[in-house]
Amino acid sequence: MGWPYLGETLQLYSQDPSFFFASKQKRYGEIFKTHLLGCPCVMLASPEAARFVLVTQAHLFKPTYPRSKERMIGPSALFFHQGDYHLRLRKLVQGALGPDALRALVPEVEAAVRSTLASWDAGHVRSTFHAMKTLSFDVGIVTIFGGRLDERRKAELRKNYSVVEKGYNSFPNSLPGTLHYKAMQARRRLHGVLCDIMRERRGQAQAAGTGLLGCLMRSRGDDGAPLLSDEQIADNVIGVLFAAQDTTASALTWIVKYLHDHPKLLEAVRAEQAAVREATGGGRQPLAWAHTKSMALTHRVILESLRMASIISFTFREAVADVEYKGFLIPKGWKVMPLFRNIHHSPDYFQDPHKFDPSRFQVAPRPSTFLPFGHGVHACPGNELAKLEMLVLIHHLVTGYRWQIVGSSDEVEYSPFPVPKHGLPVRLWRQNNPVDRKGRETDDDHVERIFI
């Protein structure tokens, strides 16, 4: 259990978490205990255990994070709750991120992707992760605020969110000047900005407007009264912004790396995307739902990238009662952490697990062995939005650009999610013309909008 109070927090965050968890599993088996961020924890490293906690016996385990993280994001955020509040809120969020909403978002996502790639053009070297964070933040903002946020407000949100993010995994204390203290101060400023935006929107003719914020502001209970207070709305907006940015940016960064590292695969994806472009009249027509079948390889690349990178190494739950599992007692109040990364990288479930091989997804994985977005009623409600970003980025990247990784890309750093060292520095340049389905350049410079 490590040192008093500190536990093994320093050991976890000072090294590759994969090594920390793998060494524990090798020594103790698929069930072991530790002490992290001030909390006693039970680690579970099998698909059966993950399903036990997240699906079949989910009522015995409430979603939770260490108290310091709950305070930083906001205690009313969706992923800290269960029961009626969670069900109603999840329905609202899923409605704002459902198929119709995503169709409407495609032009905005495309505009954000084009802007990100254009700002990176001309052979400049830039951190891929930082570029993808800009992209995912911009997509998150338009998803939440419906494209009605002025640049001043957007800059305020970006500035304060950046400070919160830096302190998210810091050691919790209230000493002025520490990362945690600065993050909590920035969190209060974020809350203030969001409350100002809500007051402004209530005073406008169109009231709440579109996007997730509008959906939350318009929500009503059975008695017709507002379902959520401004504080609850602010907590959930910050929670969605947090969930939408670094995780997606990390996944996008790994996709760029994996495509670069496998030239034959890259050419196959480029040809597939060129064929999709050709099928929509050279990009003059929007892509229909039926055309998604022609992007099978691209989808497999995305899935394999999510498995290999395993951006979310684990998730937090808390036992609401003493629970017995396979002869082990999980005491009430202890944190329970299904280890997604250990499952994704286990040779028991994925042959040659450290090899990047999208073809493995030609066959569906065994149940509960592939959990990039979690599992059960608390699985990420924004997973289709994340996939949309990935599809649109891949399409524009492979049909319009070439890129080269600068320096070594084999080392990994955690900030807090895994990314290649230094954020994967890349030199990017635009090819003169897009490519056709055989990889040849064409004269048409228009690229279609992608619908999922």
Side-chain angles (χ1 to χ4, degrees), residues 229-243:
S229 67
D230 283 2
E231 185 168 341
Q232 289 173 318
I233 293 174
D235 285 359
N236 279 283
V237 166
I238 293 171
V240 169
L241 196 59
F242 177 83

Side-chain angles (χ1 to χ4, degrees), residues 255 259 265 268-270 272-273 276 294-305 358 390-392 394-395 398:
I255 288 172
L259 285 173
L265 175 65
V269 171
R270 182 171 281 133
E272 179 180 79
Q273 290 299 321
V276 169
S294 63
M295 293 193 286
L297 176 58
T298 305
H299 279 281
R300 292 198 295 270
V301 167
I302 289 172
L303 296 178
E304 178 67 346
S305 298
M390 295 172 200
L391 282 171
V392 175
I394 290 173
H395 179 82
V398 303

Side-chain angles (χ1 to χ4, degrees), residues 114-192:
R114 289 176 184 244
S115 175
T116 299
L117 293 176
S119 68
W120 195 351
D121 198 0
H124 296 148
V125 177
R126 187 177 179 187
S127 161
T128 305
F129 181 54
H130 289 162
M132 296 303 104
K133 283 181 68 172
T134 298
L135 169 60
S136 58
F137 184 86
D138 289 344
V139 172
I141 289 294
V142 76
T143 302
I144 293 168
F145 298 99
R148 295 180 53 206
L149 195 66
D150 63 65
E151 289 301 318
R152 180 178 65 86
R153 291 295 194 198
K154 187 175 176 180
E156 287 180 314
L157 291 172
R158 190 190 299 274
K159 177 181 177 181
N160 287 295
Y161 178 81
S162 177
V163 178
V164 171
E165 175 191 50
K166 289 177 183 177
Y168 181 72
N169 272 332
S170 62
F171 193 77
N173 63 70
S174 300
L175 294 176
T178 62
L179 286 175
H180 183 81
Y181 178 85
K182 292 178 180 178
M184 292 305 299
Q185 295 295 107
R187 169 63 175 79
R188 294 186 184 95
R189 292 193 294 271
L190 271 180
H191 181 272

